[in-house]
PDB file of all heavy atoms in Angstrom:
ATOM      1  N   VAL W 262      14.649 -12.270  47.839  1.00 94.00           N
ATOM      2  CA  VAL W 262      14.035 -11.624  49.032  1.00 94.00           C
ATOM      3  C   VAL W 262      14.874 -11.901  50.276  1.00 94.00           C
ATOM      4  O   VAL W 262      15.182 -10.971  51.025  1.00 94.00           O
ATOM      5  CB  VAL W 262      12.625 -12.168  49.222  1.00 94.00           C
ATOM      6  CG1 VAL W 262      11.977 -11.531  50.461  1.00 94.00           C
ATOM      7  CG2 VAL W 262      11.765 -11.880  48.002  1.00 94.00           C
ATOM      8  N   TYR W 263      15.239 -13.159  50.485  1.00 95.00           N
ATOM      9  CA  TYR W 263      16.034 -13.512  51.705  1.00 95.00           C
ATOM     10  C   TYR W 263      17.382 -12.797  51.700  1.00 95.00           C
ATOM     11  O   TYR W 263      17.784 -12.190  52.712  1.00 95.00           O
ATOM     12  CB  TYR W 263      16.233 -15.030  51.761  1.00 95.00           C
ATOM     13  CG  TYR W 263      17.109 -15.453  52.909  1.00 95.00           C
ATOM     14  CD1 TYR W 263      16.618 -15.491  54.192  1.00 95.00           C
ATOM     15  CD2 TYR W 263      18.457 -15.808  52.668  1.00 95.00           C
ATOM     16  CE1 TYR W 263      17.414 -15.892  55.253  1.00 95.00           C
ATOM     17  CE2 TYR W 263      19.251 -16.213  53.744  1.00 95.00           C
ATOM     18  CZ  TYR W 263      18.735 -16.253  55.039  1.00 95.00           C
ATOM     19  OH  TYR W 263      19.542 -16.604  56.042  1.00 95.00           O
ATOM     20  N   HIS W 264      18.042 -12.794  50.555  1.00 94.00           N
ATOM     21  CA  HIS W 264      19.372 -12.150  50.472  1.00 94.00           C
ATOM     22  C   HIS W 264      19.226 -10.657  50.717  1.00 94.00           C
ATOM     23  O   HIS W 264      20.117 -10.033  51.333  1.00 94.00           O
ATOM     24  CB  HIS W 264      20.006 -12.409  49.090  1.00 94.00           C
ATOM     25  CG  HIS W 264      21.298 -11.776  48.914  1.00 94.00           C
ATOM     26  ND1 HIS W 264      21.490 -10.608  48.202  1.00 94.00           N
ATOM     27  CD2 HIS W 264      22.553 -12.099  49.344  1.00 94.00           C
ATOM     28  CE1 HIS W 264      22.761 -10.252  48.173  1.00 94.00           C
ATOM     29  NE2 HIS W 264      23.437 -11.132  48.864  1.00 94.00           N
ATOM     30  N   ALA W 265      18.139 -10.055  50.225  1.00 94.00           N
ATOM     31  CA  ALA W 265      17.942  -8.638  50.398  1.00 94.00           C
ATOM     32  C   ALA W 265      17.769  -8.277  51.884  1.00 94.00           C
ATOM     33  O   ALA W 265      18.404  -7.319  52.403  1.00 94.00           O
ATOM     34  CB  ALA W 265      16.727  -8.172  49.632  1.00 94.00           C
ATOM     35  N   PHE W 266      16.978  -9.057  52.576  1.00 95.00           N
ATOM     36  CA  PHE W 266      16.782  -8.780  54.019  1.00 95.00           C
ATOM     37  C   PHE W 266      18.099  -8.955  54.784  1.00 95.00           C
ATOM     38  O   PHE W 266      18.437  -8.143  55.651  1.00 95.00           O
ATOM     39  CB  PHE W 266      15.706  -9.718  54.602  1.00 95.00           C
ATOM     40  CG  PHE W 266      14.308  -9.256  54.378  1.00 95.00           C
ATOM     41  CD1 PHE W 266      13.432  -9.917  53.564  1.00 95.00           C
ATOM     42  CD2 PHE W 266      13.840  -8.114  55.042  1.00 95.00           C
ATOM     43  CE1 PHE W 266      12.123  -9.487  53.339  1.00 95.00           C
ATOM     44  CE2 PHE W 266      12.550  -7.649  54.868  1.00 95.00           C
ATOM     45  CZ  PHE W 266      11.682  -8.337  54.012  1.00 95.00           C
ATOM     46  N   VAL W 267      18.866  -9.995  54.466  1.00 94.00           N
ATOM     47  CA  VAL W 267      20.102 -10.243  55.151  1.00 94.00           C
ATOM     48  C   VAL W 267      21.087  -9.120  54.888  1.00 94.00           C
ATOM     49  O   VAL W 267      21.802  -8.660  55.765  1.00 94.00           O
ATOM     50  CB  VAL W 267      20.712 -11.593  54.709  1.00 94.00           C
ATOM     51  CG1 VAL W 267      22.132 -11.766  55.267  1.00 94.00           C
ATOM     52  CG2 VAL W 267      19.828 -12.739  55.205  1.00 94.00           C
ATOM     53  N   THR W 268      21.174  -8.665  53.607  1.00 92.00           N
ATOM     54  CA  THR W 268      22.106  -7.620  53.226  1.00 92.00           C
ATOM     55  C   THR W 268      21.789  -6.278  53.952  1.00 92.00           C
ATOM     56  O   THR W 268      22.663  -5.602  54.451  1.00 92.00           O
ATOM     57  CB  THR W 268      22.094  -7.410  51.731  1.00 92.00           C
ATOM     58  OG1 THR W 268      22.422  -8.624  51.063  1.00 92.00           O
ATOM     59  CG2 THR W 268      23.085  -6.319  51.316  1.00 92.00           C
ATOM     60  N   ILE W 269      20.525  -5.949  53.981  1.00 93.00           N
ATOM     61  CA  ILE W 269      20.086  -4.710  54.618  1.00 93.00           C
ATOM     62  C   ILE W 269      20.334  -4.750  56.116  1.00 93.00           C
ATOM     63  O   ILE W 269      20.827  -3.782  56.703  1.00 93.00           O
ATOM     64  CB  ILE W 269      18.585  -4.458  54.345  1.00 93.00           C
ATOM     65  CG1 ILE W 269      18.371  -4.194  52.883  1.00 93.00           C
ATOM     66  CG2 ILE W 269      18.085  -3.252  55.171  1.00 93.00           C
ATOM     67  CD1 ILE W 269      16.883  -4.190  52.453  1.00 93.00           C
ATOM     68  N   LEU W 270      20.095  -5.926  56.720  1.00 92.00           N
ATOM     69  CA  LEU W 270      20.320  -6.072  58.174  1.00 92.00           C
ATOM     70  C   LEU W 270      21.801  -5.995  58.482  1.00 92.00           C
ATOM     71  O   LEU W 270      22.228  -5.384  59.501  1.00 92.00           O
ATOM     72  CB  LEU W 270      19.741  -7.385  58.652  1.00 92.00           C
ATOM     73  CG  LEU W 270      18.259  -7.438  58.951  1.00 92.00           C
ATOM     74  CD1 LEU W 270      17.816  -8.857  59.207  1.00 92.00           C
ATOM     75  CD2 LEU W 270      17.928  -6.553  60.157  1.00 92.00           C
ATOM     76  N   SER W 271      22.639  -6.590  57.639  1.00 91.00           N
ATOM     77  CA  SER W 271      24.090  -6.596  57.905  1.00 91.00           C
ATOM     78  C   SER W 271      24.684  -5.211  57.814  1.00 91.00           C
ATOM     79  O   SER W 271      25.655  -4.880  58.492  1.00 91.00           O
ATOM     80  CB  SER W 271      24.747  -7.556  56.932  1.00 91.00           C
ATOM     81  OG  SER W 271      24.642  -7.147  55.608  1.00 91.00           O
ATOM     82  N   LYS W 272      24.153  -4.373  56.906  1.00 88.00           N
ATOM     83  CA  LYS W 272      24.709  -3.031  56.708  1.00 88.00           C
ATOM     84  C   LYS W 272      24.092  -1.985  57.616  1.00 88.00           C
ATOM     85  O   LYS W 272      24.794  -1.137  58.165  1.00 88.00           O
ATOM     86  CB  LYS W 272      24.487  -2.598  55.247  1.00 88.00           C
ATOM     87  CG  LYS W 272      25.333  -3.365  54.291  1.00 88.00           C
ATOM     88  CD  LYS W 272      25.132  -2.802  52.858  1.00 88.00           C
ATOM     89  CE  LYS W 272      26.037  -3.494  51.842  1.00 88.00           C
ATOM     90  NZ  LYS W 272      25.871  -2.954  50.496  1.00 88.00           N
ATOM     91  N   GLY W 273      22.785  -2.035  57.799  1.00 88.00           N
ATOM     92  CA  GLY W 273      22.107  -0.967  58.534  1.00 88.00           C
ATOM     93  C   GLY W 273      21.442  -1.414  59.823  1.00 88.00           C
ATOM     94  O   GLY W 273      20.857  -0.532  60.519  1.00 88.00           O
ATOM     95  N   GLY W 274      21.431  -2.684  60.088  1.00 91.00           N
ATOM     96  CA  GLY W 274      20.741  -3.183  61.280  1.00 91.00           C
ATOM     97  C   GLY W 274      19.243  -3.145  61.091  1.00 91.00           C
ATOM     98  O   GLY W 274      18.708  -2.919  60.026  1.00 91.00           O
ATOM     99  N   ILE W 275      18.556  -3.297  62.213  1.00 93.00           N
ATOM    100  CA  ILE W 275      17.085  -3.243  62.221  1.00 93.00           C
ATOM    101  C   ILE W 275      16.592  -1.902  61.675  1.00 93.00           C
ATOM    102  O   ILE W 275      15.647  -1.875  60.899  1.00 93.00           O
ATOM    103  CB  ILE W 275      16.525  -3.504  63.610  1.00 93.00           C
ATOM    104  CG1 ILE W 275      16.869  -4.900  64.106  1.00 93.00           C
ATOM    105  CG2 ILE W 275      15.003  -3.298  63.639  1.00 93.00           C
ATOM    106  CD1 ILE W 275      16.167  -5.999  63.310  1.00 93.00           C
ATOM    107  N   ARG W 276      17.290  -0.876  62.088  1.00 92.00           N
ATOM    108  CA  ARG W 276      16.854   0.493  61.656  1.00 92.00           C
ATOM    109  C   ARG W 276      16.906   0.612  60.093  1.00 92.00           C
ATOM    110  O   ARG W 276      16.105   1.324  59.527  1.00 92.00           O
ATOM    111  CB  ARG W 276      17.737   1.544  62.288  1.00 92.00           C
ATOM    112  CG  ARG W 276      17.373   2.979  62.001  1.00 92.00           C
ATOM    113  CD  ARG W 276      18.272   3.925  62.727  1.00 92.00           C
ATOM    114  NE  ARG W 276      17.884   5.327  62.429  1.00 92.00           N
ATOM    115  CZ  ARG W 276      18.582   6.376  62.967  1.00 92.00           C
ATOM    116  NH1 ARG W 276      19.565   6.129  63.792  1.00 92.00           N
ATOM    117  NH2 ARG W 276      18.174   7.586  62.659  1.00 92.00           N
ATOM    118  N   GLY W 277      17.864  -0.076  59.507  1.00 91.00           N
ATOM    119  CA  GLY W 277      18.022  -0.022  58.048  1.00 91.00           C
ATOM    120  C   GLY W 277      16.802  -0.564  57.303  1.00 91.00           C
ATOM    121  O   GLY W 277      16.558  -0.161  56.125  1.00 91.00           O
ATOM    122  N   LEU W 278      16.070  -1.452  57.876  1.00 94.00           N
ATOM    123  CA  LEU W 278      14.880  -2.063  57.257  1.00 94.00           C
ATOM    124  C   LEU W 278      13.769  -1.000  57.076  1.00 94.00           C
ATOM    125  O   LEU W 278      12.869  -1.187  56.295  1.00 94.00           O
ATOM    126  CB  LEU W 278      14.360  -3.234  58.066  1.00 94.00           C
ATOM    127  CG  LEU W 278      15.197  -4.492  58.063  1.00 94.00           C
ATOM    128  CD1 LEU W 278      14.649  -5.520  59.036  1.00 94.00           C
ATOM    129  CD2 LEU W 278      15.237  -5.105  56.636  1.00 94.00           C
ATOM    130  N   TRP W 279      13.830   0.047  57.907  1.00 95.00           N
ATOM    131  CA  TRP W 279      12.813   1.098  57.835  1.00 95.00           C
ATOM    132  C   TRP W 279      13.280   2.331  57.138  1.00 95.00           C
ATOM    133  O   TRP W 279      12.714   3.407  57.302  1.00 95.00           O
ATOM    134  CB  TRP W 279      12.290   1.407  59.228  1.00 95.00           C
ATOM    135  CG  TRP W 279      11.145   0.501  59.645  1.00 95.00           C
ATOM    136  CD1 TRP W 279       9.792   0.780  59.463  1.00 95.00           C
ATOM    137  CD2 TRP W 279      11.177  -0.782  60.232  1.00 95.00           C
ATOM    138  NE1 TRP W 279       9.056  -0.268  59.945  1.00 95.00           N
ATOM    139  CE2 TRP W 279       9.896  -1.256  60.410  1.00 95.00           C
ATOM    140  CE3 TRP W 279      12.258  -1.581  60.618  1.00 95.00           C
ATOM    141  CZ2 TRP W 279       9.566  -2.480  60.942  1.00 95.00           C
ATOM    142  CZ3 TRP W 279      11.971  -2.867  61.146  1.00 95.00           C
ATOM    143  CH2 TRP W 279      10.650  -3.266  61.318  1.00 95.00           C
ATOM    144  N   ALA W 280      14.262   2.201  56.251  1.00 93.00           N
ATOM    145  CA  ALA W 280      14.697   3.343  55.471  1.00 93.00           C
ATOM    146  C   ALA W 280      13.527   3.763  54.563  1.00 93.00           C
ATOM    147  O   ALA W 280      12.898   2.956  53.890  1.00 93.00           O
ATOM    148  CB  ALA W 280      15.904   2.983  54.593  1.00 93.00           C
TER     149      ALA W 280
END
Side-chain angles (χ1 to χ4, degrees):
V262 179
Y263 175 76
H264 179 259
F266 276 112
V267 171
T268 301
I269 295 169
L270 279 170
S271 63
K272 290 184 176 181
I275 296 294
R276 184 177 179 180
L278 289 173
W279 270 267

